[in-house]
Amino acid sequence: MVGGLGTSKKLGPSPIDTVERYDIEKDKWEMLPVRLPLKLSGVSCMYFEEEKKIKIFGGSDSINKSTKLVFELDIDSKGGKLRECNVMMKKRQMNNKIFKKDGRLYLVGGTNENDCESWRTYNTDEERVVEKALLSYEKVIKGDLNYFCGFIV
């Protein structure tokens, strides 16, 4: 679990900077020593198995402003290692609106506009390239609203 809302007597609900993981064998949550560089709520995360990394997208900061930040959490290193790795094209409050389809990553909603970002990542001999495009919802879903929303009717 990354970020979220905590509560304090003085401030009430406010974003937090913690990163936790659930240990299945111990049946309990544990706090990782790594912290987000700023307090965030409403982020979206996706695990990239080939890299053994979790990417953390968007969210809202402590003054409820959306962010364009993308972080990468290396889960292979002891306690986790976090680094800023990219930025989105627009500020987005993600809240789990992210999915993969046909080799592309889609970052959906989180703005007041009817759009999403499409990312395709690939390696060249010199570098890792992230190709980004801004698309309308209609172009992405192509009539397949069930897949897009993650449910079956």
Side-chain angles (χ1 to χ4, degrees):
M1 184 164 62
V2 178
L5 287 174
T7 55
S8 72
K9 292 177 185 176
K10 187 176 181 181
L11 300 173
S14 57
I16 55 178
D17 61 357
T18 57
V19 179
E20 298 178 50
R21 78 172 154 214
Y22 183 73
D23 186 323
I24 297 171
E25 293 165 359
K26 295 178 184 175
D27 191 26
K28 70 176 192 173
W29 287 93
E30 61 181 334
M31 188 87 59
L32 295 180
V34 67
R35 299 277 185 166
L36 294 172
L38 70 159
K39 296 178 179 192
L40 290 171
S41 66
V43 301
S44 186
C45 299
M46 181 170 272
Y47 177 61
F48 290 80
E49 188 172 2
E50 63 280 358
E51 301 172 34
K52 294 191 177 169
K53 293 184 172 134
I54 296 172
K55 303 269 171 109
I56 304 160
F57 297 88
S60 295
D61 63 16
S62 58
I63 56 172
N64 206 28
K65 296 282 184 185
S66 296
T67 178
K68 294 167 61 168
L69 298 173
V70 179
F71 299 100
E72 184 176 84
L73 178 61
D74 182 347
I75 59 172
D76 259 3
S77 62
K78 186 176 182 177
K81 183 179 177 184
L82 186 76
R83 72 177 187 92
E84 188 174 332
C85 66
N86 216 313
V87 293
M88 296 181 287
M89 296 172 74
K90 290 186 170 184
K91 293 179 179 182
R92 294 180 185 275
Q93 195 172 19
M94 292 307 296
N95 293 316
N96 298 318
K97 294 175 242 154
I98 183 171
F99 67 94
K100 284 183 182 180
K101 181 179 181 184
D102 302 328
R104 296 188 89 75
L105 185 66
Y106 293 93
L107 313 170
V108 183
T111 67
N112 291 329
E113 299 166 29
N114 193 16
D115 66 17
C116 74
E117 292 181 36
S118 167
W119 289 23
R120 184 173 75 91
T121 305
Y122 58 92
N123 294 316
T124 67
D125 290 338
E126 295 84 34
E127 64 183 335
R128 186 163 181 81
V129 178
V130 179
E131 191 179 85
K132 300 176 187 177
L134 202 57
L135 306 170
S136 70
Y137 286 151
E138 291 78 19
K139 187 168 184 168
V140 175
I141 61 175
K142 297 177 187 164
D144 191 1
L145 190 59
N146 293 335
Y147 180 88
F148 183 71
C149 295
F151 59 81
I152 298 172
V153 180

